[in-house]
Amino acid sequence: PDLAAFLRSIRKTLAQVFPEIVVLPGGTVHFFAALKPGTLVSDPQALVSRLHERNLQTTFVRESFLPFRMMPDRMADVDTQTLPLAETPINQDFAPIAYYFDIALWSRQFHPTAGDFFSSVARVEFRRVVILTLVCLLAVAAILRHRSRETHVRSAAGFCIFAMGFTLMALQVLLLLAFQSVYGYVYDQLALLVACFMGGAALGSWLALRRSGTGMKTLGALQGVALVSALAAVGISMLLAGTSSSAGMFLSGQIVFPGLALAAGLMGGYQFPVASRLFFAEESAMSRRIGVLYALDLVGACAAALAIATWLIPVLGFTRTAVLVAVVNVAPLLLCVTSGSPSCPASLPQRQLP
């Protein structure tokens, strides 16, 4: 059933463009599609005759191979199994549902219940996911809001770090997949995009460390930028999807996408020192919680990597994934807004070595 769902999606997607499709069964199912009706041949004897007429010297495709693979009962069976249903989704660049079907197919081969898990997750309505995520994060923000003044500020800084870690990982995955959809492939540009992201993070940290007096207002502003960042990145990617000229492809591949990766890293790199000043306002706090912020950043990034790459983008698509990333940043932003404007030290406290 998982393989059939995967193949039906592929076939229905092909049918959006090609009026004629022939499916060949086998260890690997092959789809043949043509724009002109009558181009494809599904009769194995006709293909064998062409081998002789054209004197084609084939290595693997012999006279016995074609009739065996294209037996009428096998052809009819695979044609029936791959015939799209009314609810079969179409695979698209910015809604790669076939990617999800492939995950479900492979996961079931390793564990019999894994496919059931992915199937049940795919049936969850997007509206419920948004509402549940927003309610849970707002509840956490409400609990943190009613703590003491000092603890409240520290909690807001940690909450923002978690949300930013989630957002930055989401942006990296979104940009890499969007680049592949727009540009055609990502392999030779992968190092460039990651380098731009890391370079932006380093530049952002350097700028934030040189600027004194940044506090909760700055942290809130950065969280507001994070809220719209994924939506902006997806919107720009969709605008570039219609580009087909050489100049447009060069602009998107060499300037726009590296620039977006640089901006994403810059945002996260700038936030970390700002949040650190608020979180470690006292030297005693720094000595007790030296690794908390980094741990929160990693937890947020891990949650995003697992959820977005295996579920959100394949099932929900780019746009709704970006909306969910924005929702994750609502509660931390509100917590910053309600925290006032506490003063921050000009630099991070230095821990004294024994």
Side-chain angles (χ1 to χ4, degrees), residues 1-327:
D2 294 306
L3 178 59
F6 177 39
L7 297 177
R8 283 196 294 264
S9 178
I10 298 297
R11 182 169 177 175
K12 189 171 183 177
T13 304
L14 283 171
Q16 303 302 304
V17 179
F18 300 99
E20 186 177 27
I21 299 172
V22 172
V23 187
L24 262 63
T28 299
V29 176
H30 286 93
F31 288 87
F32 291 84
L35 289 172
K36 184 180 178 181
T39 302
L40 302 178
V41 177
S42 57
D43 180 10
Q45 296 303 327
L47 294 175
V48 170
S49 299
R50 292 183 182 183
L51 284 176
H52 293 296
E53 292 171 3
R54 301 174 186 181
N55 195 28
L56 299 177
Q57 302 301 318
T58 57
T59 303
F60 299 104
V61 181
R62 297 289 183 169
E63 293 184 26
S64 59
F65 174 82
L66 288 173
F68 170 74
R69 186 169 181 183
M70 301 176 68
M71 286 190 297
D73 57 335
R74 299 183 69 193
M75 292 286 289
D77 182 62
V78 75
D79 185 69
T80 302
Q81 294 290 339
T82 60
L83 196 64
L85 306 175
E87 64 273 15
T88 299
I90 298 171
N91 189 61
Q92 302 177 32
D93 286 340
F94 293 99
I97 189 65
Y99 172 34
Y100 158 77
F101 286 133
D102 195 40
I103 292 176
L105 172 63
W106 276 99
S107 63
R108 194 181 291 276
Q109 298 185 39
F110 294 99
H111 198 281
T113 61
D116 297 332
F117 168 76
F118 281 104
S119 297
S120 60
V121 167
R123 290 193 293 267
V124 178
E125 294 182 4
F126 174 65
R127 179 178 58 183
R128 294 185 178 182
V129 175
V130 170
I131 293 175
L132 181 61
T133 302
L134 185 60
V135 169
C136 290
L137 293 180
L138 287 176
V140 173
I143 294 172
L144 298 177
R145 179 69 180 85
H146 288 87
R147 306 179 73 179
S148 65
R149 174 69 173 177
E150 177 186 350
T151 307
H152 177 201
V153 172
R154 190 176 297 128
S155 299
F159 202 6
C160 288
I161 285 290
F162 166 82
M164 186 64 76
F166 186 96
T167 302
L168 292 183
M169 181 57 70
L171 284 172
Q172 289 187 72
V173 177
L174 284 168
L175 288 176
L176 287 173
L177 293 179
F179 180 87
Q180 180 167 315
S181 297
V182 173
Y183 203 69
Y185 55 94
V186 72
Y187 303 106
D188 67 336
Q189 296 287 103
L190 179 62
L192 174 62
L193 294 177
V194 175
C196 287
F197 179 85
M198 300 303 293
L203 178 61
S205 298
W206 180 76
L207 292 174
L209 289 171
R210 289 174 59 86
R211 183 181 178 185
S212 61
T214 54
M216 193 60 70
K217 286 186 177 180
T218 303
L219 189 63
L222 289 168
Q223 213 59 45
V225 174
L227 190 148
V228 301
S229 60
L231 292 169
V234 171
I236 293 173
S237 300
M238 289 184 172
L239 289 175
L240 294 173
T243 302
S244 58
S245 64
S246 299
M249 297 300 290
F250 176 84
L251 180 66
S252 63
Q254 306 298 324
I255 298 178
V256 177
F257 277 102
L260 291 174
L262 182 71
L266 184 68
M267 175 180 62
Y270 197 95
Q271 188 212 44
F272 207 90
V274 174
S276 297
R277 289 193 181 102
L278 293 167
F279 195 87
F280 301 120
E282 297 180 2
E283 184 176 346
S284 59
M286 185 176 184
S287 62
R288 293 195 309 267
R289 300 180 176 89
I290 192 68
V292 172
L293 282 187
Y294 188 52
L296 289 171
D297 178 62
L298 293 180
V299 169
C302 179
L306 292 174
I308 290 178
T310 61
W311 174 41
L312 294 178
I313 289 180
V315 175
L316 302 179
F318 279 57
T319 302
R320 288 190 286 185
T321 298
V323 171
L324 190 61
V325 173
V327 169

